[in-house]
Amino acid sequence: MKKCIACGMPMEKPEDHAQEDVSKNYCLHCAAPDGRMQTYKEKRENLLTFVIRTQGIDADAAVGVVETMMKDLPAWRRVKR
Ligand SMILES: [Zn+2]
C-alpha cells in the first residue's frame, strides 16, 4: 500500500491522493490548493496546528512532536532546517 511521503498517511483510495491523482505520492492533506505538494514550512505549520488541537499540548511541545514526525518521512529527509 502506498503511503503519503509527506505525512505517512496510508492512501488506499484514489480520493486519498492529492487531486485524486494516483500518480501523486502525497495525499490530499499535503496538497496546496493548486495541487502542488506543500513546502516543509507549510506542512510544519499545518501539523503544528493539528497536533496542538488534537493532542492538547502547548506550542513548544508540539514543535518537538512535529519535527520528530517529519524527520522520518521521505519528503523531508533531505530538507534543510
Ligand atoms: Zn499527506
Side-chain angles (χ1 to χ4, degrees):
M1 185 170 49
K2 286 173 83 171
K3 276 186 178 181
C4 172
I5 61 163
C7 74
M9 182 185 97
M11 300 189 290
E12 296 169 1
K13 306 183 289 292
E15 309 89 273
D16 294 333
H17 294 254
Q19 302 185 309
E20 303 188 15
D21 178 352
V22 294
S23 71
K24 289 190 163 56
N25 53 9
Y26 51 95
C27 75
L28 72 167
H29 305 293
C30 296
D34 63 1
R36 69 180 167 79
M37 194 176 81
Q38 292 173 9
T39 63
Y40 178 78
K41 202 164 164 275
E42 287 168 335
K43 190 63 203 168
R44 187 178 175 280
E45 289 302 311
N46 290 345
L47 281 172
L48 277 174
T49 308
F50 177 78
V51 165
I52 292 166
R53 196 182 61 219
T54 58
Q55 300 192 18
I57 55 180
D58 67 29
D60 286 343
V63 167
V65 170
V66 166
E67 292 192 341
T68 302
M69 190 191 293
M70 293 181 84
K71 189 165 55 100
D72 291 325
L73 291 162
W76 317 118
R77 253 175 220 152
R78 280 183 289 277
V79 169
K80 274 206 211 113
R81 297 179 182 98

